[in-house]
């Protein structure tokens, strides 16, 4: 089965696994999705991730979800903003401040995948891929 939007698939799998209180979730991997997983780990939304390569050359990303002391998921919401049918681009001055700074947005810029905060720091805009809080 072909996945038309791998980013939306990744976000949906993480959302569903955290709602069901799973410890980990496996996602079909790519360089783009690995970079998004790195950002989620750096920002503290997931505890860890591993890239698994099997013999059939299929790359899998295993994401270990993070919960607070009351077993509530750290990730409250994941939203896909720019979609394959409707791309959303923002300039450096239009990068949104997600939940008043409590969340992050992830952009695809000319300098790679990064958070909105980092893109604002560098003074560059790009495609607004998703928001997480």
């Amino acid at each position: 089965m072909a996945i038309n939007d791998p980013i939306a698939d990744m976000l949906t799998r993480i959302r569903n696994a955290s709602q069901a209180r799973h410890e980990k979730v496996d996602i079909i991997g790519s360089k783009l999705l690995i970079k998004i997983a790195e950002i989620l780990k750096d920002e503290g939304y997931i505890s860890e991730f591993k890239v698994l390569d099997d013999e059939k050359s299929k790359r899998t990303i295993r994401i270990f979800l993070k919960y607070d002391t009351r077993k509530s998921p750290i990730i409250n919401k994941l939203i896909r903003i720019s979609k394959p049918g409707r791309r959303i681009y923002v300039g450096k001055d239009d990068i949104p401040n997600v939940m008043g700074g409590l969340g992050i947005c992830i952009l695809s810029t000319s300098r790679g995948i990064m958070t909105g905060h980092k893109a604002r720091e560098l003074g560059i805009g790009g495609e607004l891929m998703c928001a997480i809080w």
Side-chain angles (χ1 to χ4, degrees):
M1 181 173 93
I3 299 171
N4 292 334
D5 188 0
I7 298 169
D9 179 65
M10 176 187 194
L11 298 178
T12 300
R13 285 174 187 250
I14 292 172
R15 186 182 315 113
N16 291 344
S18 68
Q19 295 279 315
R21 308 286 196 274
H22 289 301
E23 179 186 328
K24 62 186 183 285
V25 61
D26 288 347
I27 297 161
I28 296 169
S30 69
K31 287 181 184 177
L32 172 70
L33 299 182
I34 290 169
K35 186 62 182 163
I36 292 173
E38 281 177 20
I39 290 172
L40 291 176
K41 183 181 181 318
D42 292 344
E43 295 293 323
Y45 288 102
I46 61 174
S47 59
E48 189 62 54
F49 76 94
K50 291 180 181 174
V51 179
L52 311 169
D53 289 314
D54 69 359
E55 64 280 348
K56 296 177 186 172
S57 74
K58 285 189 179 181
R59 187 182 298 167
T60 302
I61 306 168
R62 179 163 291 159
I63 294 178
F64 295 90
L65 302 172
K66 197 172 181 181
Y67 300 94
D68 65 9
T69 55
R70 295 174 302 170
K71 298 286 185 200
S72 296
I74 297 294
I75 298 173
N76 291 319
K77 198 109 172 164
L78 294 128
I79 298 175
R80 177 76 162 119
I81 298 172
S82 185
K83 300 174 183 171
R86 182 167 183 246
R87 302 286 184 190
I88 307 293
Y89 296 94
V90 292
K92 63 178 176 145
D93 299 326
D94 299 324
I95 298 172
N97 203 359
V98 180
M99 293 293 290
L102 297 176
I104 62 165
C105 59
I106 298 177
L107 279 83
S108 175
T109 69
S110 57
R111 295 193 193 170
I113 309 297
M114 63 183 71
T115 63
H117 176 74
K118 176 97 170 155
R120 213 176 289 118
E121 231 175 60
L122 295 172
I124 55 175
E127 182 184 351
L128 189 57
M129 295 178 5
C130 59
I132 300 148
W133 67 89

